[in-house]
Amino acid sequence: MTDPLISARDLTVSYPLGRSFLGEKHVLNAVDGVSLDIYRGQFFGLVGESGSGKTTLGRALLKAAPITAGNVVYRDEERGFDVQSIKGSDLKDYRKRAQLIFQDPYAALSPRMTVRDIIAEPLEVMKLTRNRKETDERVREIAAKCRLNLEHLRRFPHAFSGGQRQRISIARALVSGPRFVVADESVAALDVSIQADVLNLLKQIQRDMGIGFLFISHDLSVVAHVCDQVAVMYLGQLVETAPTRALFARPRHPYTSALLSAIPSLDPDAPKTAEKLEGEIPSPAAPPPGCKFHTRCRFAQDLCRRKVPALRELAPGHKAACHFAEEFDFTRAAAAPVPA
């Protein structure tokens, strides 16, 4: 396999919370020692509950959130960057190569700009085109890829549905010719039928342009539709990573199993198999000792409360952070069908 397009090693993003009355510093670790590799042309899924740190991780890879420790390395066929330390002209160059698709298509677009101006803005700010004619040609080209016609370019965002607005957001992210794109819950605000259309569009763009995607979602059924590789995140840490089929066929972490069991079945007569997770996700400002998931895990043992499990390889390409991944069968709790 070729070298990764983007690699993170022991990536940590922390936010200071001030001091207690005893003078102790309090820190919130939104991302806590994450390591991952994303390859060119790969659809890499990142899933987990709200508050698990998914968005912060995606923004850290884009140098849009402060990196406290660890390192992020970006390498394409032309240039490489140590993301945690870049600034100035190098940061501007990195912005051309790494882009973000926002979650909310209604809040992401300026109501005072036409669609043409919205898509053209990155080209003008980054000075990627020499004149207006060249800018318009590039805008029309990327709009066609995103299934927008010339009439759409003259309108304002209020004239479009949620799915159309998301296609405009995708076009804006792609117009600079990026190699890496973070799609942050990019279909969560859309109807199910529109979700499928946008997901198919992203897959087509991935094939045509060879872009590496980090696809952030809380919905494993959506991840199964588009992703080649999946990482499961809990309280700032990765608890399992695997190829999509392997993860669905045999989850090796109880948290993954619980997420899979919660995927709704299309059969109304199917027995209810969702595994209930007791309690709320703990605060990242005061995580529990040992395994962070032990407070909600029905398989937890005394070892889980004392020792942090390492993210270790259990099968080729399949890693899990569970002390008892080989001893317990988590597959029975997961009722999700294996993706084709």
Side-chain angles (χ1 to χ4, degrees):
M1 185 175 286
T2 59
D3 292 334
L5 177 65
I6 192 162
S7 296
R9 291 293 177 269
D10 299 320
L11 178 62
T12 299
V13 178
S14 301
Y15 297 97
L17 298 179
R19 295 176 180 269
S20 69
F21 69 97
L22 295 176
E24 297 175 334
K25 289 183 178 180
H26 290 283
V27 175
L28 187 152
N29 289 327
V31 177
D32 190 4
V34 167
S35 297
L36 55 80
D37 295 317
I38 301 174
Y39 294 85
R40 185 173 177 86
Q42 184 181 47
F43 232 108
F44 190 102
L46 182 64
V47 299
E49 293 172 280
S50 296
S52 60
K54 306 185 301 297
T55 294
T56 304
L57 174 56
R59 290 177 178 269
L61 296 178
L62 296 175
K63 187 66 173 180
I67 297 174
T68 307
N71 62 79
V72 178
V73 176
Y74 171 93
R75 295 282 185 274
D76 63 28
E77 62 278 5
E78 297 175 1
R79 281 209 65 181
F81 302 95
D82 292 324
V83 175
Q84 71 278 5
S85 60
I86 57 174
K87 55 186 177 180
S89 60
D90 284 340
L91 181 57
K92 291 180 180 179
D93 196 6
Y94 184 57
R95 290 280 180 260
K96 303 171 190 175
R97 302 163 189 270
Q99 283 287 323
L100 172 67
I101 300 171
F102 293 94
Q103 174 179 351
D104 187 352
Y106 292 91
L109 306 178
S110 171
R112 297 180 178 88
M113 299 172 68
T114 64
V115 171
R116 181 267 173 203
D117 292 339
I118 288 170
I119 299 175
E121 187 175 26
L123 297 176
E124 295 166 348
V125 170
M126 299 177 187
K127 296 180 172 57
L128 298 179
T129 51
R130 293 167 294 184
N131 50 54
R132 185 179 178 90
K133 180 181 179 182
E134 190 174 328
T135 299
D136 287 341
E137 289 175 357
R138 179 60 181 160
V139 168
R140 286 194 293 267
E141 177 188 349
I142 204 67
K145 283 184 180 291
C146 295
R147 303 171 194 166
L148 300 166
N149 58 44
L150 292 178
E151 178 60 29
H152 290 152
L153 298 180
R154 292 190 283 268
R155 299 179 186 173
F156 289 86
H158 72 267
F160 296 94
S161 66
Q164 289 172 320
R165 291 188 191 203
Q166 196 60 288
R167 291 204 296 272
I168 296 168
S169 295
I170 292 170
R172 180 178 59 187
L174 298 179
V175 74
S176 64
R179 277 77 162 180
F180 174 61
V181 172
V182 175
D184 185 9
E185 298 277 11
S186 55
V187 298
L190 306 178
D191 293 338
V192 174
S193 59
I194 306 301
Q195 283 186 12
D197 181 62
V198 173
L199 290 172
N200 290 333
L201 172 61
L202 291 176
K203 285 295 287 184
Q204 184 65 47
I205 289 168
Q206 177 211 17
R207 288 190 292 266
D208 293 346
M209 302 177 68
I211 294 173
F213 275 90
L214 175 63
F215 185 80
I216 298 172
S217 180
H218 63 274
D219 189 342
L220 271 167
S221 59
V222 170
V223 168
H225 181 68
V226 295
C227 293
D228 314 306
Q229 185 87 6
V230 182
V232 182
M233 196 168 188
Y234 184 79
L235 212 61
Q237 296 180 333
L238 298 187
V239 297
E240 186 164 7
T241 65
T244 305
R245 285 184 59 82
L247 187 92
F248 276 70
R250 188 182 178 190
R252 298 295 192 98
H253 195 281
Y255 180 60
T256 308
S257 173
L259 293 179
L260 290 173
S261 72
I263 298 177
S265 172
L266 294 177
D267 182 2
D269 298 321
K272 304 295 186 292
T273 57
E275 179 186 348
K276 183 179 179 181
L277 288 176
E278 299 292 341
E280 297 292 331
I281 185 170
S283 169
C291 175
K292 292 183 177 181
F293 186 62
H294 84 259
T295 57
R296 305 171 73 193
C297 179
R298 62 191 179 97
F299 298 96
Q301 308 289 316
D302 185 58
L303 176 63
C304 305
R305 301 176 182 91
R306 293 186 286 103
K307 184 178 179 181
V308 178
L311 184 67
R312 66 189 194 281
E313 191 165 45
L314 305 171
H318 196 152
K319 298 179 181 179
C322 178
H323 293 300
F324 303 102
E326 296 93 345
E327 298 181 31
F328 292 117
D329 182 9
F330 305 124
T331 311
R332 292 184 214 165
V338 179

